[in-house]
Amino acid sequence: MKVTQTSLPECKLIEPAVFGDARGCFHESWNRERFAAHGMDFEVVQSNVSVSSRGVLRGLHYQWPNPQGKLVSVLEGEVFDVAVDIRRGSPRFGQWTGVTLNADNRHHFWIPEGFAHGFVVLSERAVFTYLCTAG
């Protein structure tokens, strides 16, 4: 697994190790110990899936008073995903970072508590999954 900091260091792009052959492929989408080794130590308490059509914009969302950290990825299609720092007093308050997530690159995006999150669908359809730290 390769972890890259974005322009907002708390938000990370995760590239899982993908193992494939003529039958297809396999990758680990969540392993608490491996993620914790990269500073992403959280408990998954809720899992969500959304299905959206091209051009659908979801977000920017933020849960209050129970903020959520989110590990997101795309199972089908492609999205442009964005996180915005909305932590009062943060030196990066109001700054944003974005990544392209799709079924081919299999990347994940970690958005910790304190960040708003949203995405726009670039493909005909996208199946988007969220692992959340709060319900």
Side-chain angles (χ1 to χ4, degrees):
M1 166 170 103
K2 178 182 175 188
V3 177
T4 306
Q5 286 186 348
T6 65
S7 59
L8 297 175
E10 300 85 355
C11 298
K12 297 178 177 22
L13 181 66
I14 297 99
E15 300 175 50
V18 179
F19 305 94
D21 58 27
R23 300 168 297 166
C25 67
F26 169 86
H27 74 272
E28 191 174 76
S29 61
W30 165 249
N31 179 306
R32 187 173 189 166
E33 185 176 303
R34 291 190 213 288
F35 276 71
H38 290 280
M40 298 171 285
D41 189 12
F42 59 92
E43 180 181 0
V44 174
V45 300
Q46 182 174 316
S47 176
N48 304 319
V49 174
S50 68
V51 179
S52 304
S53 301
R54 181 186 301 277
V56 169
L57 174 65
R58 297 214 182 252
L60 293 164
H61 293 128
Y62 182 72
Q63 294 68 37
W64 187 258
N66 299 310
Q68 288 180 338
K70 298 174 187 162
L71 180 66
V72 300
S73 62
V74 171
L75 301 174
E76 177 185 323
E78 181 172 62
V79 306
F80 183 69
D81 200 279
V82 173
V84 179
D85 188 342
I86 59 171
R87 299 171 299 166
R88 291 187 182 166
S90 168
R92 290 177 295 282
F93 180 81
Q95 294 180 21
W96 66 278
T97 191
V99 298
T100 299
L101 304 174
N102 60 53
D104 293 329
N105 70 23
R106 297 177 183 85
H107 294 171
H108 305 296
F109 189 33
W110 168 242
I111 303 112
E113 296 174 2
F115 293 78
H117 170 253
F119 64 90
V120 64
V121 178
L122 304 175
S123 54
E124 280 303 310
R125 168 182 137 111
V127 179
F128 193 88
T129 181
Y130 315 67
L131 297 180
C132 305
T133 63

